[in-house]
Amino acid sequence: MAPDDPQLLADGSLADPLERALAWRRLSAALFVDAPPPEPPTLGEFPVLGVLGRGAMGTVYLASDPALAREVAIKVLHERDAEARARLVCEAQAIARVGHPSLVAVHAIGEHAGQIHVVMERVRGVSLRAWQEHPDRAWRELLATYLQVGRGLQALHDAELVHRDIKPENVLVEA
């Protein structure tokens, strides 16, 4: 299974209730074109619109922030144990304190149906891996982008924090 594939149960159904609700919403819209689609699933007050990505620790959903009329990204852990939850909260609090243009902004931490989530700035872009492989990318542009990534990491290190999973797939370059 590819990292972007949803987690399936033995019977072939989607393991994540949010993903089941999103799939049902897409299916309903396709089958019942004259009827409005079901309301999107929510994480707290945030309607979930889709999946932005999946990783080893969790899934990042695209959601709507109705209070501020903007899109946000919401990271939800796969694991539900206390240690993983504490790590995610600590990571979110630390990034929120650092506040650097090369780091994603953290807006809030929440809990819904026993799952902790982090509400973050929605970055429109592509992974550094995909961005850097463009054949017309000039070396000066690559260097400038790598320096921005380095400055973000330096800001974390200055705050005595370490990014434990830095790799081109985990860095977004704004489109």
Side-chain angles (χ1 to χ4, degrees):
M1 183 178 345
D4 287 345
D5 289 342
Q7 299 296 315
L8 300 177
L9 298 175
D11 66 1
S13 64
L14 293 170
D16 185 340
L18 280 173
E19 297 212 24
R20 281 195 306 269
L22 287 169
W24 173 246
R25 190 166 195 264
R26 286 190 304 273
L27 179 63
S28 295
L31 292 175
F32 310 109
V33 291
D34 294 335
E39 288 297 314
T42 60
L43 272 170
E45 70 268 24
F46 303 101
V48 177
L49 307 174
V51 177
L52 290 173
R54 288 183 192 78
M57 281 190 61
T59 300
V60 179
Y61 294 97
L62 172 63
S64 173
D65 179 348
L68 296 174
R70 64 180 176 182
E71 289 183 338
V72 292
I74 301 180
K75 183 176 187 176
V76 178
L77 285 182
H78 295 311
E79 303 173 38
R80 292 180 181 246
D81 67 87
E83 184 179 324
R85 292 167 57 97
R87 262 195 332 264
L88 183 65
V89 169
C90 185
E91 170 189 310
Q93 290 171 336
I95 292 171
R97 280 192 311 270
V98 172
H100 188 275
S102 294
L103 300 175
V104 67
V106 173
H107 300 309
I109 299 172
E111 188 170 338
H112 181 74
Q115 276 191 297
I116 192 131
H117 59 268
V118 177
V119 182
M120 303 173 290
E121 164 189 14
R122 198 290 171 117
V123 177
R124 293 180 187 275
V126 297
S127 74
L128 177 59
R129 168 81 63 217
W131 180 86
Q132 71 187 7
E133 290 177 355
H134 191 279
D136 296 331
R137 197 76 60 211
W139 71 268
R140 291 182 194 277
E141 190 178 11
L142 290 165
L143 180 60
T145 300
Y146 298 150
L147 287 171
Q148 286 180 357
V149 172
R151 288 183 187 110
L153 288 170
Q154 184 63 51
L156 287 175
H157 293 178
D158 289 348
E160 299 182 1
L161 301 168
V162 176
H163 191 298
R164 298 181 314 149
D165 197 20
I166 189 71
K167 57 188 176 187
E169 294 77 13
N170 288 348
V171 175
L172 290 176
V173 179
E174 286 186 305

